[in-house]
Amino acid sequence: MSDTPARAKNELIKEASHLLRGGIAAGLNDVATGALAEDDTVLLKFHGSYMQDDRDIRAERSKKKLEKAFSFMIRLRIPGGLVSPKQWIALDDIATTFANGTLRMTTRETFQYHGVIKSNLKRTMQAIHAACLDTLAACGDVNRNVMSTANPYLSPAHRDAYELAKALSDTLLPKTGAYHEIWLDGDKVADTSGAAKPEDEPMYGPLYLPRKFKIVVAVPPDNDVDIFAHCLGYIAIVEAGKVVGYNVTVGGGMGMTHGELDTFPRTADVLGFCRPELALKTGEAVLTTQRDWGNRAVRKRARLKYTVEDRGVDAFRAEVERRVGCTFEPARAYKFARTGDQLGWRQSADKKWHLTAFVENGRLKDRPGCTARAAVREIAELGVCEFVVTANQNLMFVNVAAKAKPKIDAALKAHGLAVNASSGLRRNAMSCVALPTCGLALAEAERYLPGLITEIENLLEAAGLRDEDIVIRMTGCPNGCARPYLAEIGFVGRGPGLYNLYLGAAFDGSRLSKLYAQDVGHDKILRLLAPIIARYAKERTEGERFGDFTIRTGYVKATTAGNQFHNDVVLAK
Ligand code: SRM
Ligand code: SF4
């Protein structure tokens, strides 16, 4: 018997796929079902789409012996989250024509559409292409959408960060012709036997990566991209207004599985400092090291964070240095202040204005009293700004001339879209999508968090803390899509109406939280938080953040590293 562990099923699907083609094209033409074949749904992710079903009506349809209400989520690739007004109008049109009438801004600076039916999938992809955008590699075992600190127009350093994000995204894009072939009726790259040419995927190879791969670029003091949560990060070191290089981080990640202690969220390690001219090569070296070293047998342990954890950061650094052909300099000093966005207008040195507006959980839709989607559409039609989706699910209107500011303010006001949130807690809140579309959700998130916050706001109001910035995040399962383990108050779904409550993460995104209470429902959440909030109001030291306070006063122990996440847990009664 061989000692080599069996490869994960997804590895076999990738291998047999002819560079991500599989049977997707044929499946799209099968009108007998609203679904695609299971193996093809694995491949579809690399093209930026997930097959889902409406979980609200799953039981009812099953009772009636009907096929699940299948539809598709489509995620775009928009490095740095920057979109032109013309593109915005096209994206807005697509939401009406093909999706469920909403644009969902994600925690990775891009958009998702929900509810696209199979017969519209190809047309939607073509409409996205017509807007000079694409969805390639937005999901799947490849480098995903690359984030940078929001707003390339804020300073030359922000522009550099954005350009690096864009260059990384372009350089690390799969080279297969499958995307063009399937969605855009491009020329077939495969030969007549169906076999793809081996040179089609020079960097990834036919198996792509063992798992998803995520990159961000941050410009201190803003850590809006949550740099320590990602596989690879670049912290811009800015001197006299210029980026002189980057501290490179590796091995961050959020996902874990309840009850499996060898899975855990992990904050990234700083590898060292690299000059700007080596940044791209470093990205490629980190990616290919993970390609060659990552775990292809057990998907739950296949992320780069486990490769770094298991091999050790020194061995990982040495391998990356070998591949780049350099030795990293010691990391330079940097300081992050916050992970959230600063809402409202800001001016850059070039006298241009930039507005960050709060969008609850990133869902842009029209509802009575707040026609948010129509507001942004109207502003796009004015053509006076560009748009940036932030890593906190908010929206920026950037590069605005002073004389256009009142027009934007007026449109937002007319449509009832408030720029700020009702409290410091809400403006620092994020939740993942969860039900009804996410197939992995164990509990509500996007549909539940706003109401829960309203009740916590009452506690804050009573304590005189309504405007206090406190980071709160919720996800419907432990995969961590809203980065809940880096929130000062984090909720992670366990089952319908039940959450694990985590406390003690750092406000600047540098320290993970710790489990404080398990399987708590609505009333217990409020009962547990009430005394902590009241005490925080009375006993906090000057400038002390909520997360730090919960550690100092003994509610939870500090989590010093990912592999300590499950240790020292004392559950609240
Ligand atoms: Fe995520 C899977 C939504 C950011 C960790 N994520 C999913 C899927 C596709 C569910 C699935 O596999 O069937 C969710 C689709 C829900 C839906 O109905 O739309 C989903 N993830 C999201 C989004 C939309 C959350 C949001 O509300 O904004 C974010 C889209 C990002 C993007 O535009 O690319 C999103 N996901 C994240 C993040 C945060 C980040 O990247 O900054 C994480 C944690 C960071 C990390 O990767 O470690 C994250 N998503 C996961 C995982 C766990 C991965 C792991 O290492 O274990 C899964 C499950 C998986 O991959 O097996 C997952
Ligand atoms: Fe779905 Fe879980 Fe991600 Fe939420 S955290 S979107 S429930 S996979």
Side-chain angles (χ1 to χ4, degrees):
M1 242 172 69
S2 154
D3 286 345
T4 317
R7 286 185 297 156
K9 188 177 166 215
N10 288 34
E11 294 298 304
L12 309 179
I13 295 172
K14 286 182 272 182
E15 190 172 51
S17 74
H18 301 301
L19 301 182
L20 308 181
R21 289 171 177 82
I24 296 175
L28 289 173
N29 293 327
D30 180 357
V31 291
T33 169
L36 285 176
E38 199 186 321
D39 285 6
D40 290 333
T41 64
V42 171
L43 302 171
L44 186 71
K45 296 176 188 179
F46 293 75
H47 298 253
S49 179
Y50 273 70
M51 189 171 85
Q52 304 183 317
D53 74 290
D54 185 343
R55 294 183 57 184
D56 283 348
I57 55 171
R58 200 186 261 183
E60 181 194 320
R61 289 185 66 93
S62 160
K63 224 185 279 164
K64 290 183 184 157
K65 306 248 176 307
L66 291 170
E67 180 176 89
K68 286 177 183 167
F70 289 113
S71 68
F72 293 80
M73 174 270 271
I74 298 179
R75 188 182 288 167
L76 281 89
R77 180 179 70 96
I78 309 180
L82 183 67
V83 172
S84 73
K86 213 169 144 198
Q87 286 172 327
W88 188 281
I89 292 167
L91 293 176
D92 187 72
D93 283 342
I94 292 168
T96 308
T97 315
F98 298 120
N100 68 356
T102 73
L103 278 163
R104 178 55 157 74
M105 296 187 286
T106 75
T107 53
R108 292 194 64 78
E109 298 186 341
T110 183
F111 295 96
Q112 282 187 184
Y113 293 114
H114 289 104
V116 179
I117 55 171
K118 191 172 86 172
S119 55
N120 278 335
L121 201 48
K122 193 161 169 174
R123 271 181 285 207
T124 311
M125 296 298 214
Q126 292 180 343
I128 291 168
H129 179 72
C132 299
L133 290 166
D134 65 68
T135 65
L136 177 59
C139 320
D141 298 342
V142 280
N143 175 48
R144 304 286 189 90
N145 196 43
V146 183
M147 298 206 278
S148 65
T149 290
N151 193 3
Y153 292 103
L154 204 56
S155 76
H158 286 76
R159 172 54 70 171
D160 283 358
Y162 168 75
E163 294 298 345
L164 175 59
K166 210 165 159 314
L168 284 161
S169 180
D170 291 345
T171 306
L172 305 178
L173 207 57
K175 303 290 182 280
T176 172
Y179 187 85
H180 268 73
E181 210 177 287
I182 295 171
W183 307 110
L184 309 173
D185 297 325
D187 292 341
K188 293 211 169 14
V189 179
D191 64 24
T192 45
S193 70
K197 294 176 192 155
E199 70 272 21
D200 279 352
E201 210 58 278
M203 184 178 49
Y204 284 107
L207 295 179
Y208 295 85
L209 297 180
R211 206 64 167 85
K212 57 177 75 166
F213 186 86
K214 297 182 173 179
I215 309 182
V216 300
V217 187
V219 184
D222 288 315
N223 187 17
D224 55 341
V225 293
D226 254 325
I227 193 143
F228 300 106
H230 305 279
C231 302
L232 169 61
Y234 295 83
I235 302 173
I237 304 299
V238 184
E239 287 174 9
K242 267 188 66 102
V243 174
V244 294
Y246 299 92
N247 283 348
V248 177
T249 62
V250 292
M254 293 283 100
M256 63 162 200
T257 306
H258 285 312
E260 294 188 18
L261 299 185
D262 65 340
T263 67
F264 45 83
R266 188 178 190 280
T267 39
D269 297 294
V270 181
L271 271 194
F273 173 85
C274 88
R275 301 268 163 205
E277 55 276 16
L278 287 180
L280 268 185
K281 211 167 170 199
T282 299
E284 202 170 325
V286 172
L287 183 139
T288 57
T289 303
Q290 164 65 358
R291 178 197 65 196
D292 300 340
W293 285 15
N295 187 333
R296 290 190 185 262
V298 185
R299 278 183 74 76
K300 277 184 183 165
R301 292 273 308 174
R303 294 294 298 275
L304 175 74
K305 65 179 174 184
Y306 299 118
T307 311
V308 173
E309 183 72 26
D310 296 346
R311 299 277 191 136
V313 69
D314 290 337
F316 195 86
R317 181 192 297 106
E319 180 61 16
V320 173
E321 287 178 341
R322 192 186 66 76
R323 291 182 189 220
V324 178
C326 79
T327 305
F328 292 129
E329 294 172 34
R332 302 274 176 97
Y334 64 91
K335 192 158 174 43
F336 286 120
R338 66 190 81 80
T339 55
D341 296 330
Q342 295 176 69
L343 303 177
W345 284 104
R346 262 173 110 173
Q347 195 178 25
S348 44
D350 63 359
K351 303 273 186 269
K352 285 291 180 67
W353 288 89
H354 317 276
L355 175 67
T356 310
F358 172 71
V359 179
E360 189 139 54
N361 299 326
R363 182 75 68 178
L364 264 177
K365 62 177 179 189
D366 292 340
R367 56 176 174 78
C370 179
T371 41
R373 211 187 116 202
V376 185
R377 166 85 189 214
E378 195 174 306
I379 293 167
E381 282 169 356
L382 292 172
V384 294
C385 64
E386 289 172 61
F387 302 91
V388 177
V389 179
T390 80
N392 291 297
Q393 304 172 322
N394 292 319
L395 183 62
M396 284 184 167
F397 304 81
V398 300
N399 205 21
V400 181
K403 65 175 188 310
K405 267 181 77 193
K407 292 184 192 166
I408 293 179
D409 286 333
L412 294 178
K413 194 162 172 220
H415 287 275
L417 180 59
V419 165
N420 211 331
S422 54
S423 66
L425 188 70
R426 200 181 295 271
R427 73 171 161 258
N428 288 286
M430 282 205 289
S431 90
C432 72
V433 178
L435 293 164
T437 51
C438 179
L440 306 178
L442 305 171
E444 296 280 354
E446 184 184 322
R447 297 194 293 195
Y448 172 52
L449 186 62
L452 177 64
I453 288 180
T454 304
E455 299 205 32
I456 303 175
E457 279 175 345
N458 294 334
L459 303 175
L460 292 165
E461 180 79 40
L465 294 173
R466 191 172 189 101
D467 207 42
E468 196 67 27
D469 282 305
I470 299 174
V471 177
I472 181 170
R473 297 174 181 172
M474 174 178 279
T475 57
C477 84
N479 283 319
C481 297
R483 304 185 287 270
Y485 313 109
L486 286 168
E488 295 175 289
I489 304 176
F491 296 99
V492 173
R494 289 270 293 176
L498 291 179
Y499 298 85
N500 278 357
L501 167 56
Y502 295 83
L503 298 175
F507 185 75
D508 67 359
S510 61
R511 183 185 60 236
L512 293 162
S513 56
K514 182 77 73 194
L515 181 61
Y516 175 63
Q518 195 155 1
D519 291 332
V520 285
H522 186 81
D523 293 344
K524 187 149 183 205
I525 290 170
L526 295 171
R527 193 148 49 77
L528 287 171
L529 287 179
I532 308 178
I533 288 171
R535 211 175 145 194
Y536 176 56
K538 289 200 193 93
E539 295 179 26
R540 65 186 164 150
T541 55
E542 177 75 28
E544 188 176 32
R545 292 292 179 184
F546 187 79
D548 300 334
F549 172 82
T550 55
I551 291 171
R552 181 176 63 80
T553 48
Y555 290 102
V556 287
K557 290 267 190 311
T559 298
T560 49
N563 56 21
Q564 298 303 309
F565 183 73
H566 299 298
N567 297 343
D568 299 324
V569 171
V570 182
L571 292 177
K573 295 273 174 324

